[in-house]
Amino acid sequence: MKIRICLGTCCHLMGGADLYNFLEEQLEKSNRDFELETPSCLDYCNQADYEAPIVEIDEEIHDDVTIEKLKNILNQE
Amino acid sequence: MGDFFVEVDHAQLSKHNKQVPGDVFLSKKADKENRIVSVLADGLGSGIKANVLATLTTTISVNLTCNSVDIKDTAETIMKTLPECKERKISYSTFTIIDIDLRANQVEIMEFDNPGFMLFRDQKRKSLEKSKIDMNNPIGTSQTLYYSQFNIELGDRLIVFSDGVSQAGIGNKNYSLGWPEEEIASTVKERMSRLKDASARELSNFLVEEAHKIDGKEAKDDITSACFYFRSPRRTLLITGPPVDKSDDYKIKRKVEQFGGKKIICGGTTSKIYARLADKEINVNLESINKDIPPDSEIEGLDLVTEGILTMSRAIELLEAGGPDKIDVDDPGYKLYNMLKDSDYIKFVVGTKINEVHQNPNIPEDLGLRKNVVKKMAELLRDKYLKKVEIEYI
Ligand code: FES
């Protein structure tokens, strides 16, 4: 699984770094195989239908992501 | 800016148990920074009286020379004006006046009774011919001054010091006549060969510390040393923000390529534009994640790549405070602050495309205004840190 957590200005301000910390911890605990990236601005925060922070998982965009939301997505996968 | 940047600094220690030094060093820039006039004066005796005399000497001579009075005439005025010791028939204050003219590439020096200056070129001491000038003091006693002049070469270091240095250790077994000139020169030379890029501050501090050691850590006199380092200016380019017009994106790459000096990009979008055009990879610096501001990255050919507004605001905070309480070398804001602080000339290239990102209602409005952040940073660098700053909008 490839996860990209946006750490651009907007997403960082809206909690992107917390998501990264959470995922890094998960990565250490679980034996799931995921690749973690932290690009700068993915260019969604300026689009009306999206809200920061943005996370891209296997090329699918998720917006307004919280740790809860992230947990749910990961459990579904 | 000319070919040279002159780094001037001095270090000083007062005579043991004296609060006020009798040595005074003063330096002033004039003529749009193309001229630097510095004076080291040593007032007779020590303590407050000596300090007043030395202050008088430095202030008058710096101001006169800055106002384009010939260095010899300045010296003469000082000789005529200064009171002198009735018993000892000597003037109250010794001095060295240094007049640096960057346009003419020339340094003139007038010395009266201070230890002789030292010029180092290519790690070697360079001796210069001095012409002797006799001047009378008010009661008619003739005094000898020395005038010298040289053309600046890149990398030159000029060092002046008070007799607290040359007479360090006087009376001690190994230094019955003080610290010999050749030994001072070789100590400085050795230091420079070990620390090739030693700053003016490092060298002057070093010399004062060495003299202090020779004095057995109890300065017998005020110990003062000043250093002038003629080096190429440290130039830094800071690009932030995408150009208004997408068709101007190429300018970012061109600016980076054409600039001689350190190169910084602050801004995710801007760095992506550069990486795309220059065909380089962006590697996020994982050490710097988890901080209060977004991580920095590495792109070949650039010295620092950071996020924009938040990182610049953090650097502004540090510039305002004069540094962090606790140094965190991984903090991108600290890295930026450090690079700017170490530069003499900073060129900002600011892309003025309105960043829709920051029109997000969740972001404080003033953060969104890149121009304001740059303006504030430039002002601080210019006014508080005396840097030469230029801003170009694209
Ligand atoms: S900052 Fe994350 S999409 Fe723009």
Side-chain angles (χ1 to χ4, degrees), chain A residues 7 9 12 20-21 38 40-41, chain B residues 272 284 289-290 292-293 307:
Chain A
L7 287 184
T9 308
H12 191 277
Y20 175 83
N21 286 341
T38 54
S40 61
C41 188
Chain B
K272 271 195 270 184
V284 178
I289 302 187
N290 300 342
D292 304 335
I293 49 176
E307 174 272 351

Side-chain angles (χ1 to χ4, degrees), chain A residues 6-12 39-46 52-54, chain B residues 357:
Chain A
C6 179
L7 287 184
T9 308
C10 215
C11 295
H12 191 277
S40 61
C41 188
L42 289 172
D43 278 328
Y44 286 96
C45 55
N46 52 358
I54 304 285
Chain B
V357 175

Side-chain angles (χ1 to χ4, degrees), chain B residues 259-271:
Chain B
F259 191 82
K262 291 235 155 84
K263 298 158 194 182
I264 306 173
I265 291 186
C266 297
T269 312
T270 322
S271 46

Side-chain angles (χ1 to χ4, degrees), chain B residues 324-357:
Chain B
D325 292 337
K326 219 177 112 238
I327 291 177
D328 173 2
V329 288
D330 289 323
D331 172 0
Y334 176 70
K335 291 183 194 170
L336 178 59
Y337 156 81
N338 238 353
M339 268 195 196
L340 295 174
K341 217 184 48 162
D342 280 346
S343 312
D344 308 310
Y345 164 79
I346 298 132
K347 162 114 190 203
F348 289 90
V349 172
V350 187
T352 41
K353 180 169 176 188
I354 302 277
N355 199 344
E356 300 96 339
V357 175

Side-chain angles (χ1 to χ4, degrees), chain A residues 2-4 42 54-62:
Chain A
K2 186 169 179 180
I3 307 181
R4 306 175 79 207
L42 289 172
I54 304 285
V55 174
E56 190 190 294
I57 300 179
D58 287 335
E59 294 185 10
E60 196 184 326
I61 297 295
H62 301 264

